[in-house]
Each structure stands twice: as C-alpha cells, then as structure tokens.
Amino acid sequence: MSSSGGSAGGASGGASGGKVVLSGESSATGVFGKVLRDAAGHFPEVFDAVRLPAQPGAFRKAYGRVLPEFEAARLGSAKRLEIAEHLVSALEAHICWRDAAGERLLSEALAEPAQPLSLSTHQFDGAPGWQPSLVYRGERFDAGGLASLGADLVSRGMASAAVGSSLGWLAREGLEDGGLNLSGRKIVLLGAGAEMAPTRFWLEAGAEVLWLDVTSPPKDWQEISGMAGRLSWPEEEVDLLTEPQAVLATIMAFAAGQPVDLGLYAYAPGQARELLLTAVMSAIVDAMPPALLASVTLLVSPTTPTALVGDDLAMMAERRQNRPAWESALAAIGAFGRGGGCAELGGGHATRSVVAIQGGSYQAAQYLGKVLVAERWAAADAFRVSANTAAITRTRSLNHPVFAAAFGGAAAFGVETFAPRLSRRLNGLLAVSDWLGAERPVPGRTRVHGGIHTLPYPLDPPLRVAAAIGFARSPRLLRGLLGR
C-alpha cells in the first residue's frame, strides 16, 4: 500500500503530440490477465494448479486470490527467472507510443533521437553530510541508534532480517562522523517530488541531483541555510507519459559519461497510470547503456505477493499461536478468510497480501512492473538493483476514509502503518546501503513490511475488520465515506 505520492502522468500529448498507452484499447486489468494466462499456457507444468479465470470479468474479481498462488508456483519452479523474463516481455509488448504516425512499441520510440530538456541548476553552499534522525514509536533514533532500530523492527516481525543487517552496516561503516556523505554521486529521480522520494536527504548528503517531475522543486529549499549538494531541474514541468524520449535524453546529458543512481518514484492513480508510469520508467532504464547506471532504486508495496523465507513463516506461526481470544474466535467463523497468510505451491511461498480496493492497474504495476523487472535486472548483474519493500505509508494517495479507518484499526492485528517522513528516511537509508554495501542487494530481501508479511491471514479480510474497528473509534471517518 505504500505509494510514491502524486507524480507523473497526464492524459494529453506533449510537444510531439504523442503519449504512452496500452496497446489497442486494452485496460490495465485486461492486460494483466492476458500476460498471466500467456505465461500459464507457456509453462503448464508450473501453473497447472493455479486456477486462472479465462474471462476478463472473472479475472478482475479473482486476481486477489489467484495472484499469490501464481507467484508461489513461480517461486517454487526451477524456471523462476525464465518465467519472470517471459512475463516482463509479454507486458512490454502491450506498452506502446501513440502519435500522429500511429502506434508502435515504446521501446522503439525511445530509440528515436530527442533533445534534452533545458535545465535550471542551483548549487547549495552547505557542507555535505545528512544526519539521520528517525522517530519510531515515539523514540528518536540518530546514527548511533540505527542498529537498535533495525533489531527492534526485525524482532517484532515488522521487517525482514536484511533490514537489521543493512541498518547495522550503515551505523558501523556507511556513515562519516555520524552523517551520510554522497559527494561525487549523481542521482536522477523520476518522481522527485513524490512523498516517498528521499530527494532532500540525498541532496543534504552532498549529491548532485536531477529532479524530474510534473512539479518543480520547492522554492524555499534555496533559502534553507546549510543545505548541500547541487540540484538541477527542467525549466518546465515534465510528464513521463508524454515526454519519455526527452526524459531519456536529459538523463543521458546529465550523466555526461558518469554512472548515475536512478530512482524510480513516479506514481499517479487512475486511468491505468500506475502501470503505464512503472512501465515507462522501466523502459527508460532498459534504453540506457548499462555502463551509465550505478544503481536503479524502486520501492515495492507490501501488498503485492512477495517471497517468504523461513524467518517469515516462523513469525507467522508464532503470531497465529499467540493471537488473542477475540481474534481466534473471528478466525474460527471465517471472518479472516481461508488459507492463511501464505500461498504455497511447489515449494514456493508467497504472501496473500493483495488488497482488492487498490485495483488491477496498481497490482500489475507492482508485480509485473517492479517485482519481476527487478529480478530480471538483478540477474543480468549490470548494475545494482535496490528493490525493497516499504511499509504501508500514510501518503496523500491513500487519502480515503476506508484506508484511514483501516489504519486506525490495523494495530489490533499487529500491523503498523508509517508516516511519510519515517518511510522516506528509512527507505532512503536502506537504498544507500544497497548502493554502497559490500554485497550486491537481492530484490525482495530487504522488507519493512510493518507486519503484513507475518500476518497469519490473507490481508484483505482483516483489513475490512480493521476498517470497521477504525470507523467505530472515529465515526467522523464514516461521515466522510458517506459524503456528509
């Protein structure tokens, strides 16, 4: 449910009159279903036990149930990577560029020459060095407390073991005099103004940052005393869905032959934009020479089916065993759904964490456009891939009475939601650990999931119960839902 915040695509064409679309008149959920069914047909021995609906309408209703089973089957297969590559290629065949000349694959359009955007630049005069300061459960953690924070998150089942290792490494080796110094690094941020983008912190660490978004950087940043780094941004706001060729050319010009850290944070809901924006960002990565990429960073939602390991399964079992009596009683009558919190097929384990209200485009973007794409990039080993899971974060994109109520009731199930400030800082630090650490990161291993991945039930039913608890505690939210 974590979201990058409002950043990215409009519906009208840019200067060229073109825009990124799904092939034909397809819907995002329709494309999602087609891609999964194509893979199931191509690898029948892997997906024979997965009951994928053949009709689009049936798939729309059932994807929340079948997608975890599909991913568990893939994870348990010796052809795991081959299947991921097949799915990603199938998705790419649906991502097109449409202009006056007609419709063609976006990858073809990105190969066409384009002029870089004109940039404004501001050099801050402060000394580089961002001082970590994270507030969690009422306690403040500075650089010296990062290892303690990581250990606490892991021990309570709020994060994977890799989170503790990364924060511990940062505290011991990744900081200079208690501060993060990124001097000499070039960072490009697609969706730089998104709520989950750590843009300001990486600037304060002394990086040279290229801001690409439909909004400009806050003007008051230039007035903040002691700010460090160098910030460049287009003189006019840029839309990834109508100007991907110019965005690619701008990144290449900014790199000037030096490898960049490329952050993929752009997000906007509705009209299939979740899927389209994610696909555009991936296409830009694929269009760049690998030698110009030091790393690619993206955030994965905890609500997309995710691989579970032994520690997760053990914590899930412990939470089931030690649940309160009221929870056991509701579970016994089926209030929390069937099948537990983990889908298991062929030895693979995946979270049953899909939330139907988020929609097919959101889930397609997360699963096809992030989880599988990151796995493919990591396997190629041409650059580092930071694809970590972020906890449910109370961003503007989740400003809905049902979500607000669910946030209020989630604690009853041992699920935590994070403020954007905390998520930005925490995930920004984890990304830097992925960039600088001795070991290359593994997508999906570093997960601050807030307890979702150790919940012993499918997420959607308890979320509805949590919303009911939240509405009971805050009736004003119900008035908002009813439009009063």
Side-chain angles (χ1 to χ4, degrees):
M1 256 177 193
S2 121
S3 160
S4 24
S7 130
S12 61
S16 67
K19 61 180 178 180
V20 180
V21 297
L22 295 174
S23 58
E25 300 299 328
S26 302
S27 69
T29 306
V31 167
F32 195 15
K34 288 179 183 177
V35 168
L36 296 186
R37 287 192 295 272
D38 177 75
H42 198 79
F43 302 94
E45 73 283 5
V46 177
F47 298 110
D48 182 61
V50 181
R51 304 179 305 280
L52 274 173
Q55 299 302 317
F59 175 80
R60 187 183 303 275
K61 295 177 181 178
Y63 73 84
R65 171 184 59 80
V66 301
L67 186 58
E69 297 174 359
F70 185 95
E71 176 62 354
R74 187 189 74 87
L75 292 170
S77 170
K79 298 180 178 179
R80 168 180 172 168
L81 178 59
E82 183 182 348
I83 296 168
E85 291 174 339
H86 183 94
L87 286 161
V88 171
S89 295
L91 173 63
E92 289 172 346
H94 289 278
I95 307 300
C96 296
W97 175 255
R98 182 184 297 161
D99 60 15
E103 189 172 289
R104 55 198 180 279
L105 291 178
L106 175 60
S107 57
E108 297 174 0
L110 285 174
E112 299 164 3
Q115 291 297 312
L117 301 165
S118 297
L119 299 179
S120 298
T121 300
H122 182 79
Q123 177 70 56
F124 296 96
D125 57 9
W130 174 55
Q131 303 291 324
S133 178
L134 293 81
V135 177
Y136 175 64
R137 303 182 80 194
E139 183 176 354
R140 184 175 296 277
F141 296 86
D142 57 15
L146 291 180
S148 175
L149 172 61
D152 180 54
L153 288 167
V154 174
S155 67
R156 293 187 302 104
M158 299 293 112
S160 66
V163 172
S165 299
S166 292
L167 292 178
W169 179 86
L170 278 169
R172 294 189 309 273
E173 303 180 44
L175 305 178
E176 299 178 9
D177 299 323
L180 177 65
N181 191 327
L182 295 177
S183 298
R185 296 192 80 93
K186 287 187 173 183
I187 302 176
V188 178
L189 291 166
L190 301 179
E195 285 186 90
M196 294 291 278
T199 310
R200 176 171 169 178
F201 312 134
W202 290 342
L203 265 177
E204 291 184 28
E208 184 176 353
V209 173
L210 173 59
W211 170 297
L212 294 168
D213 207 325
V214 293
T215 61
S216 299
K219 292 183 179 180
D220 60 0
W221 282 11
Q222 300 182 29
E223 302 170 3
I224 298 175
S225 176
M227 274 282 282
R230 181 182 175 91
L231 178 62
S232 298
W233 66 97
E235 294 176 355
E236 296 184 3
E237 290 89 357
V238 60
D239 187 333
L240 280 170
L241 296 186
T242 59
E243 301 170 88
Q245 300 94 332
V247 168
L248 175 60
T250 304
I251 296 171
M252 298 284 286
F254 175 80
Q258 179 181 336
V260 301
D261 299 298
L262 181 54
L264 313 182
Y265 291 94
Y267 173 84
Q271 300 176 325
R273 285 179 295 187
E274 300 100 330
L275 179 57
L276 289 171
L277 283 166
T278 303
V280 169
M281 291 189 290
S282 297
I284 288 172
V285 171
D286 290 336
M288 289 188 64
L292 288 184
L293 289 169
S295 69
V296 173
T297 297
L298 54 90
L299 289 176
V300 177
S301 168
T303 63
T304 203
T306 300
L308 295 175
V309 297
D311 290 348
D312 302 310
L313 299 174
M315 179 62 74
M316 189 178 291
E318 180 182 334
R319 289 179 66 176
R320 178 184 290 274
Q321 182 176 352
N322 297 324
R323 62 192 175 186
W326 69 267
E327 193 175 310
S328 295
L330 287 176
I333 62 173
F336 302 145
R338 305 295 181 185
C342 171
E344 180 180 0
L345 279 175
H349 299 81
T351 59
R352 295 185 185 274
S353 50
V354 177
V355 177
I357 195 173
Q358 291 181 299
S361 178
Y362 180 90
Q363 198 56 247
Q366 293 292 322
Y367 180 64
L368 299 176
K370 292 187 177 184
V371 172
L372 301 185
V373 168
E375 188 169 323
R376 183 182 69 167
W377 286 336
D381 202 28
F383 46 82
R384 293 200 172 205
V385 182
S386 177
N388 300 333
T389 297
I392 293 178
T393 303
R394 300 184 295 275
T395 57
R396 290 186 298 270
S397 65
L398 298 181
N399 186 20
H400 186 285
V402 172
F403 284 131
F407 295 157
F413 294 93
V415 172
E416 295 183 351
T417 60
F418 286 18
R421 178 184 176 90
L422 174 59
S423 274
R424 270 196 308 273
R425 292 169 179 245
L426 182 54
N427 288 293
L429 286 169
L430 292 172
V432 170
S433 176
D434 288 342
W435 301 350
L436 305 180
E439 296 184 7
R440 295 181 83 83
V442 177
R445 182 175 291 176
T446 303
R447 292 174 282 121
V448 185
H449 51 76
I452 287 178
H453 291 178
T454 54
L455 186 70
Y457 318 109
L459 179 59
D460 217 4
L463 191 68
R464 292 194 291 269
V465 175
I469 294 172
F471 281 129
R473 290 175 175 173
S474 300
R476 62 180 177 77
L477 295 174
L478 187 58
R479 292 195 297 271
L481 180 65
L482 299 175
R484 296 178 181 176

